[in-house]
Amino acid sequence: MLLGSCGVALCFACLATAQSLPSSFPHLYAGAPSGDYSPEWQSYFEVIEPLPNVTFPLTRSFAGNLPVQRADHPNDTLFFWAFEHQNGSLTSNTSTEPWGIWLNGGPGSSSMAGMFFENGPMHINGDYSMSSNTEFSWDTVADYVWIDQPVGTGFSTADEAGYVSGEDQMGTDFLGFLSNLVKVFPSLATRPLYITGESYAGTYIPYILKAHFESPNPPVTIAKIAIGDGSVGSGPEFQDLPAVTVIETYPQLINYDPEVFEYFEEQSHLCGYDVNLTYPQNGTIPTLGYVPGIYDSDEAGSFSSRLKFSNNFKSRSFRSRLLSRFQERSKTEDLHPFAKSTHFRKREERRQDWIQSKRDLTGRANGTIDSRYGCDLLDEFIDYAINFTFPWTLSQPDGGVFDVYNIPDALDPEVPIDASVFLNDNRTRAAIHAPTSKDWVLDFDFPFGALGGKPMTFLTDLATNGTEKGVGFVFFSGNDDSLIAHRGTEAPPSIPLQNTTFGGIQGFTRKPATPWTDDSGTLAGIVHQERNWTYVLFKGAGHLVAATAPANAKIFLQQFVFGTNTTGLVTGSTVTGGEDPELAEDVMPGSDPIFYGSLSTESSTIWLEATRAAWTSFIQTETASVTTTPISTSIAVSSTSGAVRRTVPCYIFTGLTMLLYVFLS
């Protein structure tokens, strides 16, 4: 569905060296004022002309491109579409009300994906019709701005030599854009700003905040950041480490088979993924290693001609796999549902390998890391489901399809997600003052240069600045996401975040276990708050939280992002709302049914009650035999007898996003 990528150190660039990069530039429509940006530009950016197929009322909105103010690159701009909370609220010169920004990830995914398929006032349906989403739109909470960034993404523009060289440049560009935005809407400079986003925005937003803290005269007043299913840690941390927890959440993936579970449990242990998290955290958790398998080189090689990487194989193979999944899925499933991709052909080759070697995994726990997959446990359980588990086996003729963003959704093909018809309509383009030098695309392979060190090495410094300046941090995650599963990204319970010192203490001091409910009193998930840091786990939501749980996403926004709901707040030895021991377990069980069909849900399947009961009995016994295994900085590849249960961790928030099904965050 929407998008995502990784937070790993390495050099990333787009390109066959002989291929020239596209150049684009903003279009100046009639009625544009002369001179520098000022409130005079409000009437120019206002969306006045009718939008195709929009037959329902919308609040007043403003859209267009603004420069990022990078020297010698006047065509480097970001596209924005801002919706007012109330008539006149965005243009008011006296308002002190908060406002919000939404960012999708990618990298290279347009935030119009979030607007039209998640949390905006309009929703484009699978048949390309338009329906109102004003009931759940985030602009009903505050003035909200959806922004395509970095330069070159979506309707944002860039000249051939003007693409960002890395996340630091991206952060600087974003502040340059904001400095122009507040010239047009002056009250935004002093009103509290809440920056929200998902997936690879888990990397973008910290860098934007870093640039904000480093600026001697920042253009805005950031009050809080909120990251959903974000790529905050390394690839193994948010992609592979949570594999066993994902299987426990949805044992349907392995047909509720205890022997298969024990196999994955042992592989997780051998790879060093049975991380021991404590509350408060006792010492720094070392960086996870990664053992590549035979399939790693296959997948990395398929993109070697298009991506430049550092000599760090672990980083290179992870990012290439991640981007491959994202790009191939978005091209073949989101935009061209019936096309065959290289990635799917590779998966079909792999499927034949499984058939020929009778790799049903039962009885295969033998104390060594699987040579085919290495420590890529996410891909291995996906392949298992496609080969042996109904209804995922139905996708075999298409090369194997698995929605990593929403496990219970086994549709093949997926419901189309395509805003290009609407956004590239000349009537829309003119109404929102979009550039004519390019067509809008959901995902763009813009080039990154050298990224330098690991993006999240400055988290503690960022947290320290946040504490000093009163900036809040919120991390949220969907329980049905397998790409950036909650145990890999769960706010401070994750490795990068439990290693982070905020408010003078390292990590959370208590394990998240406080329930929060929707408006009807039904359990919506888990919430935990300490020292101006908040973690929220959504029950029944996938990677695209606002798309799969729109009502609860809005409640969350109102109460835990913009609001002051204290549920889950730790004060001394007490926790507001109490703690439920069952919620303190590593796993929040997923839904029983798995849904399948072609382009729409046609049916669902639920395993026999006896099968589910037998699994419950097995997993309770297995959990009772937990073994505590210290983390080491290296990975044991030698033999270890018997399956070893991973140490009880907690919900770790990884952030963001793979991309067998990626749609910007």
Side-chain angles (χ1 to χ4, degrees):
M1 289 185 150
L2 238 52
L3 56 169
S5 179
C6 57
V8 178
L10 90 178
C11 300
F12 170 54
C14 191
L15 51 347
T17 53
Q19 177 182 353
S20 62
L21 300 172
S23 290
S24 56
F25 49 87
H27 183 82
L28 199 62
Y29 289 83
S34 59
D36 195 11
Y37 292 102
S38 71
E40 290 185 59
W41 285 78
Q42 291 174 3
S43 59
Y44 170 77
F45 286 122
E46 185 173 355
V47 178
I48 298 175
E49 297 300 320
L51 296 168
N53 299 324
V54 177
T55 59
F56 43 86
L58 295 170
T59 59
R60 195 167 60 147
S61 70
F62 303 81
N65 291 70
L66 287 170
V68 300
Q69 301 193 155
R70 200 188 318 166
D72 301 321
H73 296 285
N75 289 328
D76 279 15
T77 71
L78 299 186
F79 176 79
F80 74 95
W81 197 341
F83 282 80
E84 289 189 320
H85 173 49
Q86 296 176 330
N87 187 45
S89 57
L90 192 57
T91 56
S92 170
N93 291 324
T94 60
S95 175
T96 59
E97 294 298 310
W99 62 293
I101 284 174
W102 174 262
L103 302 176
N104 279 105
S109 294
S110 167
S111 294
M112 297 304 105
M115 171 181 284
F116 289 110
F117 303 106
E118 292 191 82
N119 51 24
M122 297 172 280
H123 185 80
I124 297 176
N125 304 309
D127 61 0
Y128 295 91
S129 63
M130 185 78 73
S131 59
S132 172
N133 190 46
T134 53
E135 180 181 3
F136 305 121
S137 179
W138 287 14
D139 68 294
T140 59
V141 176
D143 292 336
Y144 238 90
V145 188
W146 287 260
I147 301 171
D148 282 346
Q149 73 89 42
V151 296
T153 300
F155 268 144
S156 293
T157 61
D159 60 68
E160 182 178 351
Y163 293 94
V164 296
S165 58
E167 269 85 352
D168 279 312
Q169 180 66 67
M170 177 277 305
T172 301
D173 280 0
F174 199 81
L175 259 60
F177 161 82
L178 289 176
S179 67
N180 281 323
L181 185 68
V182 300
K183 291 178 182 178
V184 179
F185 305 100
S187 70
L188 297 184
T190 55
R191 293 164 56 183
L193 169 59
Y194 293 69
I195 303 181
T196 57
E198 70 189 3
S199 201
Y200 197 79
T203 296
Y204 286 152
I205 293 175
Y207 270 97
I208 291 170
L209 188 59
K210 176 173 177 279
H212 172 81
F213 286 151
E214 292 173 348
S215 173
N217 186 28
V220 294
T221 305
I222 298 178
K224 187 175 289 186
I225 64 170
I227 297 171
D229 294 84
S231 52
V232 175
S234 70
E237 287 168 0
F238 70 73
Q239 173 178 273
D240 299 312
L241 179 148
V244 171
T245 302
V246 171
I247 294 172
E248 285 189 65
T249 303
Y250 277 97
Q252 297 97 315
L253 292 166
I254 59 169
N255 270 317
Y256 293 88
D257 190 321
E259 286 189 72
V260 175
F261 178 80
E262 289 171 347
Y263 165 81
F264 280 104
E265 190 175 42
E266 182 188 59
Q267 293 296 300
S268 181
H269 171 68
L270 293 171
C271 289
Y273 295 159
D274 46 358
V275 174
N276 183 20
L277 299 178
T278 58
Y279 303 89
Q281 185 61 43
N282 182 20
T284 300
I285 305 169
T287 301
L288 292 181
Y290 179 78
V291 174
I294 296 171
Y295 293 142
D296 274 288
S297 57
D298 289 344
E299 291 199 5
S302 67
F303 260 71
S304 60
S305 63
R306 298 179 61 190
L307 302 175
K308 290 183 178 178
F309 304 94
S310 69
N311 293 324
N312 184 321
F313 177 79
K314 296 172 185 175
S315 297
R316 178 174 71 253
S317 63
F318 167 71
R319 170 125 352 159
S320 62
R321 290 199 318 273
L322 195 60
L323 292 176
S324 173
R325 290 165 184 156
F326 162 52
Q327 293 161 337
E328 295 301 336
R329 175 69 179 216
S330 64
K331 290 174 183 176
T332 62
E333 288 297 300
D334 293 341
L335 304 181
H336 308 291
F338 301 104
K340 279 279 189 177
S341 72
T342 299
H343 179 80
F344 291 159
R345 288 197 298 273
K346 286 287 185 183
R347 193 171 291 284
E348 172 60 20
E349 293 172 7
R350 221 187 268 176
R351 191 176 74 83
Q352 293 301 322
D353 184 17
W354 279 60
I355 293 173
Q356 293 171 12
S357 60
K358 296 181 173 59
R359 289 172 50 80
D360 63 0
L361 298 185
T362 55
R364 287 186 54 82
N366 60 7
T368 61
I369 293 177
D370 187 289
S371 61
R372 290 176 172 85
Y373 289 89
C375 290
D376 187 1
L377 303 188
L378 173 68
D379 243 19
E380 189 165 13
F381 77 64
I382 289 174
D383 281 351
Y384 184 90
I386 290 171
N387 279 286
F388 297 106
T389 308
F390 179 87
W392 290 284
T393 51
L394 295 174
S395 70
Q396 289 179 4
D398 295 325
V401 176
F402 186 93
D403 186 350
V404 296
Y405 278 175
N406 192 22
I407 297 172
D409 178 4
L411 272 62
D412 176 33
E414 299 280 354
V415 177
I417 293 179
D418 184 7
S420 64
V421 173
F422 173 78
L423 288 171
N424 291 323
D425 187 305
N426 287 334
R427 295 168 294 175
T428 304
R429 196 190 296 262
I432 62 176
H433 316 102
T436 57
S437 60
K438 63 181 300 187
D439 282 337
W440 179 89
V441 293
L442 177 64
D443 303 301
F444 173 57
D445 301 336
F446 65 91
F448 259 130
L451 297 185
K454 291 186 177 181
M456 296 297 105
T457 56
F458 55 82
L459 263 185
T460 289
D461 290 340
L462 200 67
T464 300
N465 279 325
T467 298
E468 293 175 353
K469 295 175 172 60
V471 176
F473 289 65
V474 179
F475 301 89
F476 60 100
S477 187
N479 193 50
D480 295 347
D481 183 5
S482 67
L483 175 60
I484 298 182
H486 65 80
R487 187 177 178 261
T489 75
E490 203 173 84
S494 70
I495 289 177
L497 298 177
Q498 197 67 352
N499 272 342
T500 300
T501 297
F502 54 97
I505 301 173
Q506 182 180 334
F508 278 163
T509 62
R510 300 179 70 90
K511 196 170 186 178
T514 302
W516 69 285
T517 61
D518 61 19
D519 288 341
S520 67
T522 301
L523 179 67
I526 297 171
V527 62
H528 188 83
Q529 305 188 65
E530 288 191 43
R531 311 184 311 278
N532 213 18
W533 282 48
T534 300
Y535 167 67
V536 176
L537 177 65
F538 282 79
K539 181 178 176 62
H543 186 75
L544 312 179
V545 168
T548 48
N552 287 346
K554 181 179 174 181
I555 293 171
F556 153 78
L557 187 76
Q558 290 172 317
Q559 297 186 6
F560 298 111
V561 180
F562 284 84
T564 58
N565 189 322
T566 59
T567 302
L569 178 64
V570 176
T571 307
S573 60
T574 64
V575 180
T576 303
E579 295 174 301
D580 185 338
E582 291 187 7
L583 297 180
E585 298 297 327
D586 296 343
V587 175
M588 175 182 285
S591 62
D592 287 329
I594 303 297
F595 302 93
Y596 61 96
S598 176
L599 297 174
S600 64
T601 299
E602 298 170 356
S603 188
S604 65
T605 183
I606 298 179
W607 276 250
L608 295 175
E609 184 176 353
T611 300
R612 289 179 282 139
W615 172 266
T616 300
S617 177
F618 159 75
I619 209 67
Q620 288 174 344
T621 302
E622 191 76 355
T623 302
S625 61
V626 171
T627 317
T628 300
T629 305
I631 297 294
S632 63
T633 55
S634 61
I635 295 178
V637 189
S638 58
S639 63
T640 300
S641 61
V644 181
R645 175 70 180 174
R646 69 186 177 350
T647 301
V648 177
C650 73
Y651 299 101
I652 294 181
F653 170 95
T654 271
L656 189 11
T657 285
M658 159 173 115
L659 300 205
L660 265 176
Y661 191 143
V662 150
F663 173 127
L664 192 19
S665 186

